[in-house]
Amino acid sequence: MIEIKHITKSFDGEIVLKDISAVFESGKANMIIGPSGSGKTVLLKSIIGLHRIDSGRIEYDGRNLPDMRMKDIRVLRREVGMLFQGAALFDSMTVLENVMFPLEMFSTKTPDEQKERAYFCLQRVNMPERSYNLMPSEISGGMQKRVAIARAIALNPKYLFCDEPNSGLDPQTSLIIDKLIHEITQEYNITTIINSHDMNSIMEIGDNIIFIQQGEKKWQGCRHDIFHANCESLDNFVFASNLYKRIKSTQN
Amino acid sequence: MFRYNQIMNVFAHIGRYTQLMGRTLVRPDSWRISFRMFMKELDKIGLQTLPILIVMSVFMGAIMTIQTKLNTENPILPAYTTGLVTRDTLLLEFTSTILCLILAGKIGSSIASEIGTMRITEQIDALEIMGINSANYLILPKIMAFIIVMPFFVIISSAIGLFGGYLSALLTDIITVSDYLLGIQYAFIPYYVFYAVVKSVVFAFLIASIASYYGYYAYGGALDVGKASTNAVVNSSLLILLFDLIITDLMLN
């Protein structure tokens, strides 16, 4: 479980995150949603520790990240997997080498066991075996995301972060990636935080949703509560398209 | 006149560069993986640079011999002067300083753009998230590989440059081969080789670390990676000249 308490973050005197508190439970797809420029990515990067917060607490099962020394942060990060917006696969390595990389770096497994684990992770995300020796530039965007998920779960992380996992993907592939993240979260009881503004994702897998706007938390609930939320800014964001407006009127 | 902000900017760069080197020059997370990276860099920086180094050195040696002969056309000077001057110029300046200025363009820009691209495509963030010291993992093998190959570059380039001079003596009638061979052996000071090697090692460190610095702190898009690469070449070239002056004063004066 990750708990954030009264997080404030500013850049050059401009406040980007204002007093945000939330609890992200394990085994659930926790989503941070909001319009572009609302501070989602800054919040996610602050939780991971890529940005240093001005004040507040970020507790990973009771361990407060801002109090930790760099050495301890590195140890904590070995419990973290991350799926980046652009997959961020190492372009000088093959698909298999990308997944094996964290294992080679940190696990005490033998090379054969590492390979076995990498194969398992790649099979878990339904990557065809013929693609294992291809370079990232030789596979599709959807496949790159799947390899990135395989790499993120290679070391059995306790925490998984996904920064806009569906960006640049078609709706069908997006759905596959969403389901994969959701399944893995539940299967391994991972604390997953997903940063998204994709309505399909939100409605599909959002177990715990935090809506932020202009750096402030405006609403928190699950995907079933969204239709009945009494929050104007959330309504404007979620039901911006005619399709979702119609869905909402049908629901009501 | 320099403005206050510009001066502070220079100090900010020095501070960030020192911090980056502090993170780079530490024990690797995995010796095995770092060694593998180091071997890759040896291939990339060493073997793949060798062909252009050979071509440059042959031509520079040949050109230097012809120009030296033309500029020392004087009955007072002995005939072997051309060979002697060519040898010393190659050793003292060409194979260390000029070669490093050229390599700052080739290898420096390649390092800056490689690390810069990794930065903007979030590959460096991915390393950090995995708990890896990204500066150490990416930069240290490059610095070590460049420092190790550079003395060999100096020696190979000197030898090939002298061979280029020999070719110009052989193929033109500007100087006899025997005069040239006498010149390149006459009053040889072995300390000059040591001086050239020391300079080249310092320059190799400067090129690899400055290029890595600009790449590591690149942000934005492809255009910014290009800017980082240009800055890396310009600043490492300037620092090579500055350190050339300092080392020459310390070692030869």
Side-chain angles (χ1 to χ4, degrees), chain A residues 203-215:
Chain A
M203 301 314 288
E204 194 67 37
I205 61 168
D207 296 328
N208 175 33
I209 302 165
I210 290 165
F211 172 67
I212 60 169
Q213 194 180 36
Q214 291 175 328

Side-chain angles (χ1 to χ4, degrees), chain A residues 78-96:
Chain A
R78 286 167 204 171
E79 299 173 11
V80 170
M82 174 130 189
L83 174 59
F84 285 88
Q85 201 172 341
L89 296 177
F90 304 123
D91 45 22
S92 59
M93 298 180 194
T94 63
V95 164
L96 184 64

Side-chain angles (χ1 to χ4, degrees), chain A residues 153-202:
Chain A
I153 61 169
L155 284 173
N156 282 320
K158 283 170 77 177
Y159 315 100
L160 178 66
F161 298 94
C162 308
D163 187 14
E164 302 198 8
N166 297 330
S167 74
L169 300 181
D170 63 83
Q172 207 175 5
T173 313
S174 299
L175 204 64
I176 293 167
I177 298 292
D178 285 339
K179 281 188 173 166
L180 195 58
I181 294 169
H182 202 222
E183 280 169 19
I184 285 167
T185 301
Q186 290 180 330
E187 203 175 313
Y188 303 114
N189 199 33
I190 302 171
T191 304
T192 300
I193 303 180
I194 305 159
N195 195 347
S196 182
H197 52 211
D198 180 353
M199 279 316 299
N200 291 331
S201 293
I202 296 163

Side-chain angles (χ1 to χ4, degrees), chain A residues 40-251:
Chain A
K40 300 189 296 290
T41 303
V42 175
L43 178 58
L44 193 74
K45 289 192 170 178
S46 299
I47 296 171
I48 305 161
L50 289 175
H51 290 319
R52 191 172 280 272
I53 54 170
D54 299 343
S55 62
R57 291 177 71 83
I58 301 163
E59 291 179 1
Y60 283 73
D61 291 307
R63 294 168 289 177
N64 187 27
L65 184 75
D67 288 347
M68 285 182 177
R69 290 177 305 161
M70 198 59 209
K71 198 176 143 195
D72 299 323
I73 291 175
R74 289 225 176 92
V75 174
L76 172 72
R77 279 181 178 164
R78 286 167 204 171
E79 299 173 11
V80 170
M82 174 130 189
L83 174 59
F84 285 88
Q85 201 172 341
L89 296 177
F90 304 123
D91 45 22
S92 59
M93 298 180 194
T94 63
V95 164
L96 184 64
E97 285 167 348
N98 260 286
V99 181
M100 280 181 73
F101 180 74
L103 295 162
E104 283 181 307
M105 211 70 189
F106 299 118
S107 83
T108 50
K109 288 183 164 84
T110 63
D112 282 344
E113 287 170 337
Q114 288 171 7
K115 203 166 186 177
E116 200 179 311
R117 172 71 187 159
Y119 266 77
F120 171 80
C121 293
L122 283 165
Q123 279 159 4
R124 180 65 193 81
V125 298
N126 304 319
M127 279 297 287
E129 204 167 328
R130 60 181 148 66
S131 65
Y132 292 3
N133 289 319
L134 296 177
M135 302 304 279
S137 57
E138 294 172 318
I139 57 176
S140 68
M143 279 183 166
Q144 286 182 10
K145 291 278 168 72
R146 279 193 257 173
V147 177
I149 296 172
R151 184 178 68 181
I153 61 169
L155 284 173
N156 282 320
K158 283 170 77 177
Y159 315 100
L160 178 66
F161 298 94
C162 308
D163 187 14
E164 302 198 8
N166 297 330
S167 74
L169 300 181
D170 63 83
Q172 207 175 5
T173 313
S174 299
L175 204 64
I176 293 167
I177 298 292
D178 285 339
K179 281 188 173 166
L180 195 58
I181 294 169
H182 202 222
E183 280 169 19
I184 285 167
T185 301
Q186 290 180 330
E187 203 175 313
Y188 303 114
N189 199 33
I190 302 171
T191 304
T192 300
I193 303 180
I194 305 159
N195 195 347
S196 182
H197 52 211
D198 180 353
M199 279 316 299
N200 291 331
S201 293
I202 296 163
M203 301 314 288
E204 194 67 37
I205 61 168
D207 296 328
N208 175 33
I209 302 165
I210 290 165
F211 172 67
I212 60 169
Q213 194 180 36
Q214 291 175 328
E216 280 182 275
K217 188 173 105 178
K218 297 282 186 183
W219 182 83
Q220 182 167 8
C222 74
R223 60 182 180 273
H224 307 295
D225 300 335
I226 274 191
F227 289 103
H228 317 291
N230 190 17
C231 176
E232 197 187 334
S233 52
L234 177 71
D235 280 357
N236 291 338
F237 170 71
V238 173
F239 306 108
S241 72
N242 286 333
L243 175 67
Y244 278 98
K245 273 178 194 155
R246 262 184 255 151
I247 291 171
K248 188 180 185 186
S249 63
T250 315
Q251 288 280 322

Side-chain angles (χ1 to χ4, degrees), chain A residues 45 48 50 70 74 77-78 80 82 84-86 88-91 93 101-102 104-106 151, chain B residues 23 29-30 32-33 36 40 117-118 121-134 137:
Chain A
K45 289 192 170 178
I48 305 161
L50 289 175
M70 198 59 209
R74 289 225 176 92
R77 279 181 178 164
R78 286 167 204 171
V80 170
M82 174 130 189
F84 285 88
Q85 201 172 341
L89 296 177
F90 304 123
D91 45 22
M93 298 180 194
F101 180 74
E104 283 181 307
M105 211 70 189
F106 299 118
R151 184 178 68 181
Chain B
R23 289 182 56 208
D29 291 315
S30 162
R32 195 164 50 85
I33 290 182
R36 200 168 65 196
K40 273 187 191 172
T117 305
M118 287 189 78
T121 55
E122 295 179 311
Q123 291 177 53
I124 292 180
D125 287 342
L127 285 169
E128 287 290 328
I129 293 297
M130 286 178 198
I132 295 165
N133 178 348
S134 60
Y137 170 76

Side-chain angles (χ1 to χ4, degrees), chain B residues 91-177:
Chain B
L91 261 183
L92 292 172
E93 274 313 295
F94 175 72
T95 58
S96 45
T97 312
I98 307 297
L99 185 70
C100 280
L101 286 172
I102 296 165
L103 292 183
K106 187 194 179 288
I107 295 170
S109 64
S110 145
I111 291 174
S113 50
E114 182 191 325
I115 297 179
T117 305
M118 287 189 78
R119 166 62 75 195
I120 64 163
T121 55
E122 295 179 311
Q123 291 177 53
I124 292 180
D125 287 342
L127 285 169
E128 287 290 328
I129 293 297
M130 286 178 198
I132 295 165
N133 178 348
S134 60
N136 174 271
Y137 170 76
L138 291 172
I139 302 171
L140 188 64
K142 291 184 199 305
I143 292 178
M144 292 309 294
F146 204 9
I147 282 177
I148 283 171
V149 297
M150 206 55 217
F152 292 102
F153 278 179
V154 167
I155 291 161
I156 292 168
S157 176
S158 300
I160 292 171
L162 291 176
F163 176 69
Y166 172 79
L167 283 181
S168 71
L170 190 72
L171 302 174
T172 65
D173 56 358
I174 199 159
I175 180 177
T176 65
V177 171

